[in-house]
Structure formats: structure tokens, C-alpha cells
């Protein structure tokens, strides 16, 4: 019998620093809880990338990030699968390397995988570290409850004409290019600076990615009991990250 959904965690040996591999686990488990057969594939960098329906890339240090990008370009599976409709969730270093260019440890620009119309350069100010709260923009193709996560990056990302921002930052830095945006979306490739893992803190984002992969509307995915504890985590993190009156009001508007 063929598995309906294959979720690959890409290069956990290079892009595993921030626990973003949890995103793959969450996607596979949310599918299984709904009776959808799902396979979780760990895809180490020393073997060919497997065929999958969703690819999750995580954060990592500057050096391993360069190796990951080089392998993904040489392997070519990821670009081919994206052309065939596969979904990509790329976080931080993963986000940067699926773009057109990103900086190495010395700040010199390297070629990215080219799946997102973004360019990342080394920032000149302090590293962006801390909690992030962001809201998806009304009228954009992605509409989600407030996004929560944490960031830790030195790169600043600029979006090109064919990439749409994922969200607008309420707290934190996000893309850090002066636009106040966070993340980028191009077709079924979604990049973000949010760790957490981001899908543990934002189950609606997990379901959006599942819906894309299953060619379904997110509203057709049954609610999950486990989301009560996810809601408690969200409440706690959003309250900690938006202590001021103005931000508290914004938070309530999204409830
Ligand atoms: N090395 C990249 C940067 O500092 C990505 C960091 C990360 O993945 N958290 O910008």
C-alpha cells in the first residue's frame, strides 16, 4: 500500500540546532490523528534526498548551512519535487538557503536553492534574538491566527517581486530589512524565521501546510483534541511576548 503523505526532515545533521525537526513530527502526527497514513523520513545529508510530499528544513549555524545548500543544489531532488507540487517549510537557516542568495560565515554571498524569491545578507546591527509575534496580512493568500515563535539570526532577508511576506511583525525583528515583514511565501514554499518549533506553537500553520499537501481546504481538516494544550502554550507565549496594553489588545482581537 502506498503511504498517502511522506514528510521529510531535511538534513537534521546540519540543520538540527534549534529543534525544528519537531515540525516534521507534528505534521506526520496531525495527519495520523485524522486517519491519514503518514510516514516521517529523516533525511541525513550523506544520502540522496528521499521523495516526499512535505520537506521541513530547520535552522543551523553559518558553516553547516553552506554545506546544506550545496548538497541540496547538487542533489536537485528538492527543486524537482517542488516543481511537482511538494510543500516546503523552511525555518531560519533553511529559509535563507532556499532563497536566491545567502551569506556564509564571512558574509560573502552564496548561491541558494532558488525556490523562494528572497536574498539574505549579513545584518550590520545586533543579532536578532528573542520572541516574535506576527500577524498575517488581511487579503493575503495566507490567513492565520497570530504567529508566535522565537528568532535567533544574524541575516536580513529582502523579498523579491514574486515572494509575498508571510506576516507583519508586531514584536521582534523577522526579515529585518526595514519592511517590518516576517517570512515569505511563494506557491507552496513557505519560509519563516520562527523557531519553537513553529508548528508546535502554531497548529493552524501546520494544518495549512497539510492542506496544501493533501490538495484540501484547511477547513476540511477535523479539529484535534491535542490542540487544547497547544492553545495553552500559545496563550502563555503570546502573553509573555505582548505584555503591553496595546499589544494585549491586538492579541484579543485575534482570539
Ligand atoms: N546562520 C543563520 C543566521 O545567523 C541562521 C541562524 C539560524 O538558523 N537560527 O542568520
Amino acid at each position: 500500500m502506498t503511504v498517502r503523505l511522506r514528510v521529510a526532515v531535511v538534513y537534521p545533521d546540519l540543520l538540527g540546532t534549534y529543534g525544528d525537526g519537531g515540525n516534521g513530527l507534528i505534521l506526520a502526527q496531525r495527519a495520523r490523528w485524522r486517519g491519514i497514513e503518514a510516514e516521517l523520513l529523516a533525511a541525513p545529508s550523506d544520502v540522496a534526498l528521499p521523495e516526499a510530499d512535505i520537506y521541513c528544513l530547520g535552522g543551523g549555524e553559518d558553516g553547516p548551512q553552506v554545506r546544506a545548500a550545496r548538497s541540496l543544489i547538487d542533489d536537485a531532488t528538492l527543486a524537482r519535487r517542488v516543481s511537482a507540487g511538494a510543500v516546503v517549510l523552511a525555518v531560519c537557516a533553511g529559509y535563507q538557503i532556499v532563497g536566491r542568495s545567502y551569506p556564509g560565515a564571512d558574509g560573502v554571498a552564496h548561491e541558494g536553492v532558488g525556490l523562494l524569491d528572497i536574498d539574505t545578507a549579513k545584518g550590520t546591527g545586533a543579532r536578532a534574538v528573542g520572541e516574535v509575534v506576527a500577524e498575517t496580512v488581511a487579503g493575503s493568500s495566507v490567513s492565520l491566527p497570530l504567529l508566535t515563535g522565537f528568532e535567533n539570526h544574524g541575516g536580513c532577508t529582502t523579498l523579491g517581486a514574486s515572494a509575498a511576506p508571510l506576516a507583519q511583525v508586531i514584536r521582534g525583528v523577522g526579515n529585518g530589512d526595514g519592511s517590518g515583514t516576517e517570512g515569505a511565501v511563494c506557491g507552496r514554499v513557505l519560509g519563516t524565521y520562527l523557531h519553537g518549533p513553529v508548528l508546535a506553537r502554531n497548529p493552524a500553520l501546520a494544518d495549512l501546510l497539510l492542506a496544501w499537501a493533501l490538495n484540501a481546504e484547511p477547513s476540511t481538516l477535523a479539529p484535534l483534541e491535542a490542540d487544547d494544550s497547544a492553545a495553552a502554550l500559545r496563550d502563555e507565549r503570546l502573553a509573555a511576548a505582548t505584555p503591553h496594553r496595546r499589544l494585549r489588545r491586538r492579541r484579543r482581537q485575534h482570539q
Side-chain angles (χ1 to χ4, degrees), residues 9-23 56-68 91-94 127 150-153 193-197:
V9 174
V10 178
Y11 301 167
D13 50 325
L14 299 176
L15 303 173
T17 315
Y18 295 83
D20 300 310
N23 290 324
C56 298
L57 286 74
E61 298 84 355
D62 295 349
Q65 176 177 1
V66 175
R67 284 165 50 204
V91 177
C92 205
R127 204 173 164 80
F150 73 89
E151 62 187 337
N152 186 342
H153 56 101
Y193 272 110
L194 301 187
H195 302 289

Side-chain angles (χ1 to χ4, degrees), residues 137 139-143 164 185 208 212:
V137 184
S140 86
S141 59
V142 176
S143 172
V185 187
L208 177 71
W212 284 354

Side-chain angles (χ1 to χ4, degrees), residues 150-215:
F150 73 89
E151 62 187 337
N152 186 342
H153 56 101
C156 293
T157 299
T158 307
L159 276 56
S162 57
L166 170 64
Q168 206 66 30
V169 167
I170 295 175
R171 152 109 196 246
V173 175
N175 289 326
D177 63 338
S179 66
T181 61
E182 150 48 32
V185 187
C186 187
R188 292 177 165 191
V189 180
L190 188 148
T192 175
Y193 272 110
L194 301 187
H195 302 289
V198 65
L199 300 185
R201 291 210 200 176
N202 304 281
L205 177 57
D207 284 354
L208 177 71
L209 301 174
L210 283 176
W212 284 354
L214 296 166
N215 294 312

Side-chain angles (χ1 to χ4, degrees), residues 48-248:
L49 202 68
E51 301 288 306
D53 306 295
I54 308 183
Y55 292 90
C56 298
L57 286 74
E61 298 84 355
D62 295 349
Q65 176 177 1
V66 175
R67 284 165 50 204
R70 198 62 258 157
S71 287
L72 287 173
I73 293 167
D74 292 345
D75 177 283
T77 304
L78 188 62
R80 175 174 52 75
R81 290 297 302 148
V82 167
S83 303
V87 171
V88 176
L89 169 65
V91 177
C92 205
Y95 172 40
Q96 296 174 356
I97 64 172
V98 299
R100 289 192 316 209
S101 67
Y102 68 94
D106 52 6
V108 173
H110 289 256
E111 178 195 2
V113 188
L115 305 175
L116 269 180
D117 184 15
I118 59 166
D119 291 283
T120 300
K122 233 181 177 45
T124 48
R127 204 173 164 80
V129 181
E131 286 289 317
V132 179
V133 179
E135 60 185 345
T136 51
V137 184
S140 86
S141 59
V142 176
S143 172
L144 294 165
L146 277 186
L147 294 170
T148 157
F150 73 89
E151 62 187 337
N152 186 342
H153 56 101
C156 293
T157 299
T158 307
L159 276 56
S162 57
L166 170 64
Q168 206 66 30
V169 167
I170 295 175
R171 152 109 196 246
V173 175
N175 289 326
D177 63 338
S179 66
T181 61
E182 150 48 32
V185 187
C186 187
R188 292 177 165 191
V189 180
L190 188 148
T192 175
Y193 272 110
L194 301 187
H195 302 289
V198 65
L199 300 185
R201 291 210 200 176
N202 304 281
L205 177 57
D207 284 354
L208 177 71
L209 301 174
L210 283 176
W212 284 354
L214 296 166
N215 294 312
E217 279 301 315
S219 58
T220 61
L221 297 174
L224 296 174
E225 252 173 55
D227 284 348
D228 290 349
S229 48
L233 171 65
R234 285 179 60 75
D235 286 349
E236 188 272 323
R237 286 291 81 206
L238 286 167
T242 56
H244 307 300
R245 235 227 216 105
R246 182 176 56 84
L247 295 179
R248 275 209 311 269

